[in-house]
Amino acid sequence: MSAVRELDLSKLPELGFGHAAGVWWAVLGLIAIEGTMFALLAVSALYLRQAAPSWPPAGIPAPAIGAALANVIVLVVSLAPMVWVHMAARRFDARAVVIGLVIGTVLGIAALVLRMAEFHALHVRWDSNAYGSIGWSILGMHTGHLLTSSIENVLIILVMRSPHRQGKHFVDTEVNALYWYFIVGAWLPLSALVFWVPRWP
Amino acid sequence: MSVRARLRPARAGAGIALFLAGCAGPHHALDPAGPQARHIASLWWLLFWVALAVLLAVVIALLVAVLRGVATRAHSPREPGVVVTMTERGTVAAVTVAVGLTALIVLSLLTASALVGRTLAGLRSPDALSIEVVGHRWWWEIRYPGAAPSEQVTTANELHVPVGRPVKVRTISHDVIHSLWVPSLHGKRDLVPGHPGEIVLQADRPGVFNGQCAEYCGVEHALMRLLVIAEPADRFDAWLTAQRETPPPPTDPEARRGQEVFLAQQCALCHTIQGTPAGGRVGPDLTHVGSRQTIAAGVLPNAPEHLATWMLDPQSVKPGTLMPASAIMGDDMAALVIYLGSLR
Amino acid sequence: MSDPDAEHRERLAQTWAPRPGVLGWLSEVNHKAIALRYMVTAMGFFVLAGLLALVMRLQLARPGAHLVGPDLYNQIFTVHGSTMMFLFAVPVMEAMGLYLVPMMIGTRNVAFPRMNAFGYYVYLIGGLFLWVGLALNIGADVGWFSYVPLAGPDYSPGKRADIWAQMITFTELAALVAAIEIIVTTFKQRAPGMTLDRIPIVVWAMVVTSFMIIFAMPAVMVSSGMLALDRLIDTQFFNPAEGGDVLLWQHLFWFFGHPEVYIIFIPATGFVSAIVTTFSRRSVFGYLALVLSLVATGFLAFGLWVHHMFAVGLPEMGQGFFTAASMMIAIPNGVQIFCWLATLIRGRLLFRTPLLFVLGFIVIFVAGGLTGVMLAAVPFDLQVHDTYFVVAHFHYVLVGGAVFPLLGAFYYWLPKMTGRRLSEKLGQASFWLLFVGFNLTFFPMHQLGLVGMPRRIYTYLPDTGWGGLNLLSTVGAFIIAAAVTAFAVNVLWSLRRGAPAGDDPWGAATLEWSTPSPPPTYNFVRIPVVHSRYPRWTPLADPMVTTGLRDDLREVVITSMLDAEPTTRHLLDGPTIIPLLTALAVGVGLIAGIFTPWGFVIGAALVLPCLVAWFWPKGDPARELAEGRA
């Protein structure tokens, strides 16, 4: 080889947000995986429903919708601080991130409390019949997501206040917000499936 | 490396020999005894010859590549690789034709399959005989309905059908998934708990056709066989009439002793014999057990010594079977066997 | 090479070095090390499952044999199938992807090195879990697809089915991890200049496979989860008496199960493309057609699953749709075969062992694909479904379609991975032994299915007439064993005595051959700039390389997805024991979970601190400086 040309990469930035970041794609992959799981649970519910003489089965009242409505509202409202956190992360504004995540965490805890009422509102146990099993499974799996995301919110708050915080932690904050959008977005059709569809004839 | 060493093994010749070897033996899918199996067999032959032609074409193309390759071979990895940049028109055309042919073949086979499917669906008739087959672990319960409940026949592991008449079999299971399969008559039908189904069988010639459970259903799935016995209509009617009759109390003293043994032991907990207090529904109905060709779901011939072995030590015949061993001794066992043999 | 690079190479070697000792070995995060572990483990499971197959063949060699009783036989066929599908086939393909993809796209490691290690450990624990069950005579015994109600609480007492269900969780977690790695690494870390149409087909195949894993694995997660819940806490998903449905299991499982076999097959087609290219000494014919066929197959594979359920009595019109889709997938598969044949015919063949395995693959896989088209026809399927005809079919497509290309791939790439050549003579012997042994074992099974032999039977009676063909098949199985032994001997011999392979023993075209054999931990001294699909066959007089990446930190370049334009520099993580600890925590939780629902709580409590340790900022001054304390 006579002449070797060089492409100098040293001036490239060291951090990228959005689709320039590997973790962004990883979280998108996670959303695809978890989204597929929710979709399959939903399809299973519809499959069991179309074969059932009635849904809910005879003798079981339709779910009460108070807690469900409240929780949908709480979750949709929680999008606001999350969007704020998202924008703050892009600005490397740690203080705003912390404030936003505190609000988000409070709302997340509220959602978890309401979730307990939602389980109750199903008026059926997980082991009574398939209707109860699938309803509890959908709620249960989503609750798992709420729980782990709320814990992650708290952890990011702590990292933001750590002296060893790095730029990449703001990218992590952004993808955490992304995942929160998914948790809320996925819940809307699922809530309708669990709480409203059984009210249809 | 010589060219001869590169030739594909003569699998075709070996294949045909093996195939003919398999043709001997009891009835099977390529030896159809009814219209359903016959239609399926014709579909099979179409699929087989088309597949063989395609495989031959691919093997020939491969041989062309190999023989050309030998002629133009590269001798060492140091010979440079070529990046072909111009469009290879001839090759594009050849591949396009090949893909087009593939699509055509797929379309034709799809059509053939759909046509045979429609034909099979049409093979039903209002004068079909209706029966029910219930899968158990690991035996077949077979029920012939009657005008009145007293005319219902319940038997096990042997399906009698009249020659030339469609038989609508309702397929039921209350435990695990089984699959009813009599290859010389039709494809199989799974017996799915919660999803009763139906399959129409028809034998066009008299004979004894073997079947076997074809869905893994637990430890003794391998030995859950059944026989389909096709008889001319009059003999079938005679059989059904005989099955409908309650056996009279035994007159032979040995047989009477056998009946006493049967009723005194735990047999009645699982088995039914019409005309006696025995009404258990866990195991096969034994009302006419003496008339069957086999016992233990087609595993043992129905002969006294096999009956005795089965009752004394069922685990030796079918390890894992749910039938408990009985502790019936010598003379009692002999009498019991005689009694059961008398239930024709 | 040149002197200025010598210092650079030394610093790279230091920066990318693993930690020493046993702790270092357990903390390994280099993609090649982890991939090799995956490969060795997967091949170990392959041999174990093969031994189970030999036992089955010995039992079935004659009617009424008493080598093993039904209970043990049922565990054996279940563990054989589950091992081959979950512990060998998918992991070994992932392994090849994890090794080759970063090298072929010109980067230094996968996108998430620690997660990669975690995936391997989770896989290892899951695999051992299944086999410990077998060793303790509580092995799973309900078949690799575990139909309910047989696998449910009423008919499978004890923990056998739970062990199976939880093994699934471990192995598909590992598969999902590997899939994310491959997708993100390929999307974001390709060398500058490697536009989409310059990506090697192996990499395309692994990306398509990874997408399939993402959408298919959740189905088996959901179904095995439902089974575990039915068994553990009395949910009623599959109980018809309480509104559940037995067929729900089959739909969910096969929605995963059918794509699963393409997840196994598609990477193999990538290997075939690479081997055909190198050993025809020319670019592969129809690069675009091949890539589009991969994508089409990936999509179509999700529309076939009901063809496993033709005997349960679904409506005729629905069945017809699945017949059509199942036959149609022959078209993109056919495109691939024709492109490879065209390349072989129009190339100058270099007759070496990898090419032999590709030729064998074409014959055997096409035969298997043709029986697949037969099985797609519902009326015919009803005769041979659940018989040895199907056993023959899937071994033809899986052994022919995946194992033959895999062995070819091993003969092709092991010299790069180990630095030693394999014996060409022993290689060809192992090929012929496998080809003859395989056909002798599995061809008679087509006939056996047609004459009435169902699957999953531990014995059969003499009056069936099945003895002769079964004996033939058993003889073939031992020839296969000889072939596998020859391969193993070849590998072991080459590790000790093989001639040095050099950088590029095959005169190949793609980037992985630009490194020493075995490659250094950092893969490339300089990340190349790619100008062609076949970089080594189109050398430039004035090639371009990158400079400016740090060699005192684990820095790689991130490029844009479509055009591979450099966008950012990025630091990858180094060795740590935390992935192992996290995997152990997951293992404790999942294994405890088959005994009590509190197992998951325990698991979560153990995993949480591991994850905190994983992500907590470490206070590494050099990194902080590099990443900018904001």
Side-chain angles (χ1 to χ4, degrees):
Chain A
M1 310 289 158
S2 34
V4 178
R5 293 169 295 150
E6 288 187 344
L7 178 65
D8 183 10
L9 302 175
S10 59
K11 305 289 185 295
L12 288 175
E14 283 152 351
L15 214 56
F17 281 94
H19 60 80
V23 284
W24 189 91
W25 291 93
V27 165
L28 230 58
L30 186 60
I31 290 174
I33 292 166
E34 300 297 324
T36 305
M37 289 198 51
F38 278 130
L40 289 169
L41 283 174
V43 167
S44 300
L46 293 170
Y47 177 85
L48 289 171
R49 175 173 176 269
Q50 55 86 36
S54 72
W55 190 261
I60 295 174
I65 54 170
L69 259 175
N71 216 356
V72 165
I73 293 172
V74 165
L75 283 173
V76 169
V77 163
S78 76
L79 286 175
M82 269 314 190
V83 171
W84 193 54
V85 164
H86 190 164
M87 300 195 306
R90 287 241 176 177
R91 295 189 315 259
F92 297 99
D93 182 350
R95 200 171 152 277
V97 166
V98 168
I99 295 174
L101 280 179
V102 166
I103 302 175
T105 304
V106 167
L107 288 170
I109 293 174
L112 283 165
V113 169
L114 282 170
R115 178 55 47 86
M116 298 198 291
E118 281 179 293
F119 274 108
H120 216 69
L122 287 178
H123 298 314
V124 70
R125 279 168 56 104
W126 68 90
D127 57 358
S128 303
N129 45 52
Y131 164 82
S133 303
I134 192 77
W136 274 73
S137 299
I138 291 175
L139 263 102
M141 193 174 142
H142 190 263
T143 307
H145 283 84
L146 268 179
L147 202 53
T148 49
S149 257
S150 296
I151 293 176
E152 174 133 7
N153 289 344
V154 170
L155 289 175
I156 292 184
I157 292 171
L158 296 173
V159 168
M160 283 289 131
R161 297 178 57 86
S162 152
H164 299 300
R165 181 188 71 221
Q166 293 152 25
K168 70 169 183 177
H169 293 116
F170 288 93
V171 180
D172 292 343
T173 308
E174 177 187 53
V175 301
N176 180 58
L178 260 188
Y179 203 69
W180 192 264
Y181 304 156
F182 163 68
I183 288 177
V184 175
W187 187 240
L188 300 177
L190 288 173
S191 178
L193 177 64
V194 174
F195 289 98
W196 292 92
V197 165
R199 306 174 78 84
W200 295 346
Chain B
M1 175 75 48
S2 80
V3 172
R4 230 167 281 128
R6 304 224 171 280
L7 291 177
R8 299 277 81 86
R11 229 185 55 200
I16 291 172
L18 287 172
F19 178 72
L20 291 174
C23 272
H27 308 287
H28 52 70
L30 300 184
D31 176 22
Q36 289 89 355
R38 232 190 326 275
H39 285 293
I40 295 176
S42 351
L43 179 61
W44 151 253
W45 287 116
L46 172 67
L47 293 167
F48 171 75
W49 289 114
V50 169
L52 190 60
V54 170
L55 183 62
L56 275 173
V58 169
V59 168
I60 288 171
L62 212 52
L63 280 172
V64 166
V66 165
L67 292 173
R68 274 184 61 129
V70 169
T72 62
R73 65 199 306 170
H75 292 278
S76 118
R78 272 176 291 285
E79 299 186 23
V82 171
V83 177
V84 176
T85 43
M86 349 156 294
T87 325
E88 300 168 85
R89 292 249 169 76
T91 314
V92 171
V95 169
T96 311
V97 166
V99 174
L101 274 175
T102 307
L104 265 173
I105 291 175
V106 162
L107 212 54
S108 330
L109 294 180
L110 184 55
T111 311
S113 168
L115 287 173
V116 172
R118 289 267 79 225
T119 308
L120 288 177
L123 282 174
R124 47 186 65 252
S125 120
D127 76 329
L129 171 70
S130 285
I131 64 175
E132 275 183 3
V133 169
V134 181
H136 293 271
R137 291 179 303 152
W138 293 274
W139 56 280
W140 305 91
E141 176 183 344
I142 298 157
R143 299 206 277 249
Y144 292 78
S150 56
E151 294 204 334
Q152 186 177 286
V153 170
T154 304
T155 179
N157 304 321
E158 233 176 58
L159 217 163
H160 284 249
V161 297
V163 170
R165 186 172 160 208
V167 177
K168 193 163 62 172
V169 179
R170 198 162 143 77
T171 52
I172 298 168
S173 169
H174 300 300
D175 50 22
V176 299
I177 303 179
H178 302 275
S179 192
L180 177 66
W181 186 37
V182 186
S184 24
L185 295 183
H186 199 351
K188 56 186 63 72
R189 184 60 168 84
D190 284 0
L191 282 59
V192 182
H195 288 275
E198 188 179 285
I199 182 170
V200 176
L201 303 176
Q202 181 173 330
D204 277 351
R205 63 170 199 265
V208 177
F209 307 107
N210 40 280
Q212 185 157 351
C213 177
E215 181 63 59
Y216 178 59
C217 52
V219 67
E220 275 300 332
H221 160 69
L223 296 180
M224 184 172 161
R225 317 202 307 171
L226 86 158
L227 291 178
V228 174
I229 299 176
E231 300 172 297
D234 51 348
R235 294 200 33 197
F236 170 78
D237 290 335
W239 172 85
L240 192 57
T241 309
Q243 293 282 316
R244 285 193 168 126
E245 284 174 9
T246 308
T251 46
D252 171 44
E254 277 300 296
R256 204 182 11 239
R257 181 173 170 196
Q259 186 185 62
E260 284 161 19
V261 170
F262 182 89
L263 293 172
Q265 294 292 323
Q266 36 179 3
C267 318
L269 288 174
C270 297
H271 294 284
T272 296
I273 296 183
Q274 300 284 356
T276 74
R281 305 287 303 274
V282 177
D285 186 304
L286 299 179
T287 308
H288 295 281
V289 62
S291 68
R292 297 183 206 148
Q293 295 190 15
T294 62
I295 57 166
V299 169
L300 291 172
N302 188 0
E305 64 273 23
H306 295 303
L307 263 174
T309 307
W310 174 242
M311 286 190 279
L312 285 172
D313 190 5
Q315 298 295 326
S316 68
V317 180
K318 281 172 121 172
T321 181
L322 298 172
M323 164 136 162
S326 55
I328 304 172
M329 297 301 182
D331 289 342
D332 281 348
M333 177 53 78
L336 178 56
V337 165
I338 289 174
Y339 169 60
L340 293 173
S342 74
L343 294 171
R344 293 194 171 282
Chain C
M1 283 235 194
S2 49
D3 260 336
D5 260 1
E7 267 184 39
H8 177 55
R9 236 178 298 141
E10 249 204 59
R11 280 196 299 270
L12 279 173
Q14 253 186 347
T15 305
W16 290 86
R19 295 222 194 105
V22 172
L23 208 58
W25 195 83
L26 294 170
S27 308
E28 182 67 79
V29 295
N30 182 274
H31 73 102
K32 298 181 290 298
I34 292 171
L36 285 170
R37 281 176 211 187
Y38 259 114
M39 273 180 237
V40 169
T41 309
M43 293 312 289
F45 280 125
F46 176 73
V47 168
L48 285 175
L51 290 173
L52 291 183
L54 287 179
V55 173
M56 286 194 281
R57 286 305 337 150
L58 281 172
Q59 167 66 11
L60 292 176
R62 19 178 255 288
H66 294 290
L67 185 64
V68 290
D71 186 61
L72 184 56
Y73 186 91
N74 296 338
Q75 291 178 65
I76 287 176
F77 81 71
T78 301
V79 175
H80 167 82
S82 303
T83 300
M84 285 299 192
M85 295 299 280
F86 295 111
L87 304 181
F88 159 67
V90 171
V92 83
M93 295 303 176
E94 291 287 10
M96 296 297 276
L98 289 170
Y99 192 105
L100 293 172
V101 165
M103 302 212 58
M104 286 180 147
I105 64 174
T107 188
R108 300 198 188 284
N109 202 345
V110 291
F112 309 108
R114 298 174 299 178
M115 192 171 76
N116 199 13
F118 167 76
Y120 169 73
Y121 288 126
V122 165
Y123 154 65
L124 178 65
I125 295 172
L128 289 175
F129 185 43
L130 181 73
W131 277 81
V132 164
L134 179 64
L136 296 177
N137 201 30
I138 50 167
D141 63 348
V142 281
W144 89 273
F145 44 83
S146 191
Y147 274 4
V148 296
L150 182 61
D154 294 328
Y155 298 102
S156 273
K159 290 300 171 191
R160 293 176 165 192
D162 304 281
I163 291 177
W164 179 89
Q166 211 62 300
M167 174 275 296
I168 298 279
T169 312
F170 283 107
T171 51
E172 29 91 357
L173 187 54
L176 286 167
V177 160
I180 301 262
E181 296 282 6
I182 285 175
I183 289 175
V184 180
T185 308
T186 306
F187 278 14
K188 301 310 299 175
Q189 282 180 220
R190 300 197 309 278
M194 187 176 278
T195 53
L196 288 183
D197 65 334
R198 293 178 186 158
I199 295 179
I201 293 186
V202 169
V203 178
W204 275 114
M206 293 306 313
V207 168
V208 169
T209 303
S210 300
F211 272 102
M212 292 178 68
I213 287 177
I214 284 182
F215 291 107
M217 293 285 172
V220 75
M221 268 261 230
V222 168
S223 59
S224 65
M226 288 177 171
L227 177 64
L229 289 176
D230 264 20
R231 293 176 60 86
L232 195 64
I233 59 170
D234 290 325
T235 51
Q236 306 289 328
F237 290 108
F238 306 119
N239 180 6
E242 293 288 359
D245 193 331
V246 163
L247 295 180
L248 178 63
W249 169 269
Q250 295 192 21
H251 281 295
L252 284 172
F253 184 86
W254 289 117
F255 186 77
F256 149 80
H258 194 81
E260 158 89 339
V261 307
Y262 287 92
I263 286 167
I264 295 169
F265 170 64
I266 286 181
T269 67
F271 307 152
V272 171
S273 288
I275 293 171
V276 163
T277 300
T278 301
F279 293 86
S280 307
R281 310 309 297 155
R282 58 153 285 166
S283 51
V284 74
F285 175 84
Y287 174 88
L288 183 61
L290 283 166
V291 172
L292 291 177
S293 297
L294 283 175
V295 174
T297 305
F299 273 105
L300 265 175
F302 281 88
L304 308 190
W305 82 91
V306 173
H307 72 216
H308 299 269
M309 297 167 64
F310 281 153
V312 304
L314 297 172
E316 199 186 327
M317 177 106 75
Q319 289 183 340
F321 169 82
F322 286 95
T323 297
S326 304
M327 289 196 183
M328 253 173 44
I329 205 164
I331 297 176
N333 282 342
V335 168
Q336 292 177 297
I337 303 272
F338 302 140
C339 288
W340 293 323
L341 285 171
T343 313
L344 291 169
I345 289 176
R346 294 182 60 84
R348 299 184 55 221
L349 300 186
L350 183 63
F351 286 103
R352 299 288 187 274
T353 304
L355 183 65
L356 273 189
F357 275 101
V358 162
L359 299 178
F361 146 80
I362 291 180
V363 175
I364 297 179
F365 175 73
V366 169
L370 289 167
T371 56
V373 170
M374 293 180 187
L375 287 165
V378 175
F380 176 66
D381 181 75
L382 291 180
Q383 277 285 22
V384 294
H385 164 73
D386 246 325
T387 70
Y388 266 78
F389 188 96
V390 175
V391 176
H393 160 72
F394 66 67
H395 282 92
Y396 267 77
V397 285
L398 286 175
V399 176
V403 175
F404 270 75
L406 178 71
L407 290 172
F410 281 147
Y411 278 99
Y412 184 49
W413 275 296
L414 273 176
K416 166 60 59 182
M417 298 176 182
T418 64
R420 305 286 198 130
R421 289 179 178 268
L422 289 152
S423 156
E424 186 57 32
K425 279 205 167 40
L426 201 47
Q428 296 194 6
S430 69
F431 166 75
W432 285 109
L433 278 172
L434 187 61
F435 190 85
V436 169
F438 171 82
N439 282 296
L440 191 60
T441 308
F442 292 102
F443 191 73
M445 292 185 184
H446 294 106
Q447 181 66 5
L448 280 169
L450 288 167
V451 298
M453 184 172 179
R455 287 173 75 167
R456 304 168 151 196
I457 56 175
Y458 74 97
T459 191
Y460 52 93
L461 296 182
D463 62 8
T464 56
W466 300 334
L469 291 177
N470 269 293
L471 185 58
L472 215 53
S473 176
T474 302
V475 170
F478 279 89
I479 299 179
I480 295 180
V484 174
T485 308
F487 170 71
V489 166
N490 202 350
V491 172
L492 293 170
W493 173 89
S494 100
L495 288 174
R496 295 185 149 271
R497 295 268 169 79
D503 292 7
D504 183 11
W506 307 114
T510 40
L511 286 179
E512 75 273 25
W513 304 101
S514 296
T515 66
S517 305
T521 48
Y522 49 85
N523 293 346
F524 302 92
V525 178
R526 301 264 173 214
I527 304 291
V529 176
V530 172
H531 67 285
S532 120
R533 197 181 289 163
Y534 303 95
R536 293 182 60 79
W537 284 357
T538 51
L540 292 177
D542 56 346
M544 200 173 200
V545 291
T546 61
T547 58
L549 285 179
R550 299 183 64 148
D551 53 20
D552 59 333
L553 290 176
R554 293 179 173 233
E555 193 168 70
V556 296
V557 59
I558 305 288
T559 56
S560 66
M561 193 171 115
L562 295 179
D563 289 329
E565 296 274 353
T567 58
T568 52
R569 289 176 290 132
H570 181 66
L571 290 182
L572 292 180
D573 295 296
T576 157
I577 197 80
I578 294 174
L580 173 59
L581 296 175
T582 314
L584 287 171
V586 168
V588 166
L590 288 179
I591 293 177
I594 73 169
F595 296 101
T596 159
W598 291 108
F600 298 103
V601 176
I602 298 172
L606 290 171
V607 166
L608 183 60
C610 292
L611 289 181
V612 172
W614 190 310
F615 290 108
W616 201 258
K618 302 275 182 311
D620 178 346
R623 288 183 70 123
E624 284 169 30
L625 218 50
E627 292 188 322
R629 288 184 65 179

